[in-house]
């Protein structure tokens, strides 16, 4: 019989939740101030407390993942799922993803250390204070840029030994 274990490129795997993480608290239903719009066992969608436009949604995994940099090539389906759920929620609220700014803050510019996808709609109503979220730079990268970056990252490997 083989014994297998995952040898993650980044050896630490994210915990289900992290004590003190506000987004973990929101995912667990422990933050009554959050305006949760949609939730299932894998993701939570809620409104940003400082919206950059008329609609500013945050889409988070319910499992604690600190930042984009903690993802590997294995996490591409997870990233695509965050996007697809966020897109459906936005459309049900009357938004159009093609007129939205969708992306992630990257370290050290993430304000909360829990992976979160921003969906900001409509782009033309974004205020001047949101200028940095209008373009790819070291502060904010689009979903597409992040997905392309992730495709270049190594996948976790399985190491098996005979027992």
């Amino acid at each position: 019989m083989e014994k297998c274990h995952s040898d993650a490129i980044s050896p630490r795997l994210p915990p289900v939740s992290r004590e003190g993480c506000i987004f973990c608290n929101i995912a667990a239903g422990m933050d009554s101030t959050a305006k949760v719009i949609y939730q299932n066992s894998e993701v939570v969608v809620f409104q940003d407390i400082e919206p950059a436009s008329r609609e500013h949604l945050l889409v988070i995994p319910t499992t604690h993942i600190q930042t984009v940099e903690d993802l590997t090539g294995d996490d591409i389906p997870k990233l695509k799922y965050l996007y697809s759920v966020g897109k459906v929620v936005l459309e049900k609220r009357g938004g159009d993803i093609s007129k939205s700014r969708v992306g992630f803050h990257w370290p050290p510019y993430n304000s909360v250390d829990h992976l979160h996808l921003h969906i900001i709609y409509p782009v033309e109503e974004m205020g001047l204070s949101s200028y940095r979220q209008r373009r790819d730079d070291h502060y904010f990268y689009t979903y597409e840029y992040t997905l392309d970056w992730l495709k270049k990252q190594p996948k976790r490997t399985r190491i098996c030994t005979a027992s």
Side-chain angles (χ1 to χ4, degrees):
M1 173 181 254
E2 287 186 325
K3 290 184 180 180
C4 299
H5 67 276
S6 175
D7 179 26
I9 300 305
S10 151
R12 65 181 173 82
L13 294 175
V16 173
S17 66
R18 190 181 82 193
E19 187 175 335
C21 173
I22 188 154
F23 286 179
C24 286
N25 289 343
I26 291 169
M30 296 170 35
D31 185 327
S32 61
T33 62
K35 295 179 181 172
V36 175
I37 300 164
Y38 176 81
Q39 183 168 8
N40 66 26
S41 63
E42 296 180 55
V43 300
V44 180
V45 182
F46 56 97
Q47 294 178 335
D48 193 297
I49 60 170
E50 295 181 14
S53 192
R54 183 174 358 131
E55 287 284 350
H56 188 158
L57 307 177
L58 297 179
V59 186
I60 65 167
T62 55
T63 301
H64 185 84
I65 299 170
Q66 192 159 328
T67 72
V68 171
E69 292 177 341
D70 292 309
L71 299 172
T72 71
D74 288 329
D75 296 308
I76 290 171
K78 182 176 298 206
L79 200 71
K80 288 180 175 181
Y81 186 65
L82 291 176
Y83 176 84
S84 66
V85 169
K87 178 182 178 206
V88 168
V89 169
L90 178 69
E91 289 170 348
K92 286 189 177 199
R93 294 173 64 83
D96 180 348
I97 200 75
S98 69
K99 296 178 181 178
S100 301
R101 182 74 167 140
V102 182
F104 299 90
H105 291 290
W106 281 55
Y109 302 102
N110 45 319
S111 57
V112 176
D113 284 336
H114 186 122
L115 183 69
H116 54 286
L117 175 68
H118 291 261
I119 300 180
I120 305 167
Y121 169 82
V123 171
E124 58 270 6
E125 290 183 22
M126 290 175 68
L128 186 57
S129 63
S130 304
Y131 173 74
R132 293 190 145 247
Q133 292 175 323
R134 291 179 178 260
R135 57 192 171 87
D136 281 332
D137 67 7
H138 61 279
Y139 179 78
F140 186 88
Y141 287 103
T142 63
Y143 163 78
E144 291 82 7
Y145 174 93
T146 304
L147 188 59
D148 287 343
W149 174 83
L150 200 52
K151 288 176 182 175
K152 297 173 190 170
Q153 301 310 302
K155 293 189 175 192
R156 293 180 186 101
T157 58
R158 290 176 51 86
I159 297 174
C160 299
T161 56
S163 58

